[in-house]
Amino acid sequence: MKSLGQIAQRTLRTAEGKSESRTGLIRAVRAACKAQGIEDDDRRALQLEVTGKASLGDMTPAEIGRVLDQLNRGRAAPMAHRPHVAKIRALWWSLYWLGAIDDPGERALNAFVKRQTGRNALRFLGAPQAASVIEALKAWCAREGVAWPPVAADADARGERRAVLDALWRKRCDQAGAPRLADARGLGMNVGPLLGDQPDPAKWGAKTLDLAIRHVGKAVRRAAGKSER
């Protein structure tokens, strides 16, 4: 069975037929993107990935057919449900709160992904590429003071959240010229009451840890004279 790209490569007998074929293919691409919840920026990134051209208007019918083939294979479907996507975004935001980057947005993250893997956007990463991005981000966080727990010691995501929060708290204490107060105890006394939670960080759940990371991260950025988004 021929692919849509192969079908589009056939020579059309009239200029009108060529125009109708091209228009139909463009409509099919847009319809497929709408059905899969793919925004225009992501559609253009996919087009660039497949054909080397970001605009449908610059493509031949054959190239538009290749984009449609890719969409119909489901390879460009939204991937927000994949665990590695959420983890990469969380690590990127951790670097923002630590003051290592100033733009936590998707465009800046996609630019980092492009430099690391050659892929145009986070959503196009396969598992091996995503793993390499995660390791690169974790290494960057480590250079900012995050001491990641051994996997065997704390397999769930709370351990990694606590590692980020500890690094933020140490950085905040250093900014203030204050003793670190055994990190966790001092953090609990400072942040716990503000979050309406118990003052023992070891008992905080993921949601409370995320709130604490944002709270301390804002303080770190303010003390460093950095703007917030």
Side-chain angles (χ1 to χ4, degrees):
M1 181 177 179
K2 291 184 178 180
S3 70
L4 290 167
Q6 290 171 324
I7 293 171
Q9 287 175 349
R10 292 182 303 186
T11 303
L12 299 172
R13 294 185 180 278
T14 65
E16 183 180 0
K18 181 179 286 189
S19 176
E20 288 176 354
S21 174
R22 181 188 183 82
T23 300
L25 286 167
I26 289 174
R27 286 175 180 167
V29 166
R30 294 188 184 279
C33 287
K34 183 177 180 180
Q36 296 185 42
I38 298 172
E39 301 293 338
D40 284 345
D41 284 347
D42 288 330
R43 173 179 57 77
R44 283 188 283 269
L46 170 67
Q47 290 163 186
L48 187 62
E49 184 78 22
V50 173
T51 70
K53 300 175 182 178
S55 171
L56 289 169
D58 294 335
M59 295 182 200
T60 65
E63 289 169 333
I64 300 171
R66 283 163 51 197
V67 172
L68 189 56
D69 283 340
Q70 190 83 347
L71 287 164
N72 287 338
R73 282 197 292 266
R75 294 188 181 176
M79 297 196 302
H81 65 286
R82 293 190 182 181
H84 69 247
V85 172
K87 185 162 189 173
I88 288 171
R89 286 179 176 142
L91 288 166
W92 190 247
W93 271 94
S94 296
L95 287 166
Y96 172 75
W97 294 126
L98 287 161
I101 62 173
D102 290 326
D103 185 355
E106 199 79 359
R107 287 181 183 274
L109 175 53
N110 284 337
F112 177 81
V113 167
K114 172 75 171 178
R115 291 194 298 273
Q116 290 291 313
T117 69
R119 296 285 180 172
N120 288 300
L122 175 59
R123 69 188 300 132
F124 303 134
L125 294 181
Q129 295 160 330
S132 71
V133 172
I134 288 170
E135 289 308 309
L137 290 173
K138 291 186 74 172
W140 191 352
C141 286
R143 293 194 293 273
E144 293 296 321
V146 178
W148 298 111
V151 173
D154 196 341
D156 65 28
R158 286 181 300 169
E160 294 192 348
R161 285 176 166 88
R162 281 195 291 267
V164 172
L165 186 53
D166 284 346
L168 283 166
W169 181 242
R170 289 193 296 270
K171 184 169 286 195
R172 182 68 194 102
C173 288
D174 290 345
Q175 287 173 332
R180 293 181 176 180
L181 298 174
D183 291 340
R185 188 175 74 253
L187 173 64
M189 290 187 297
N190 183 275
V191 179
L194 295 177
L195 301 179
D197 203 353
Q198 56 185 332
D200 183 1
K203 296 180 180 178
W204 290 351
K207 182 177 180 181
T208 302
L209 287 166
D210 285 340
L211 289 171
I213 286 170
R214 286 195 291 272
H215 176 77
V216 182
K218 287 180 180 181
V220 167
R221 290 188 65 83
R222 282 196 300 269
K226 294 179 177 288
S227 61
E228 294 176 27
R229 293 198 178 192

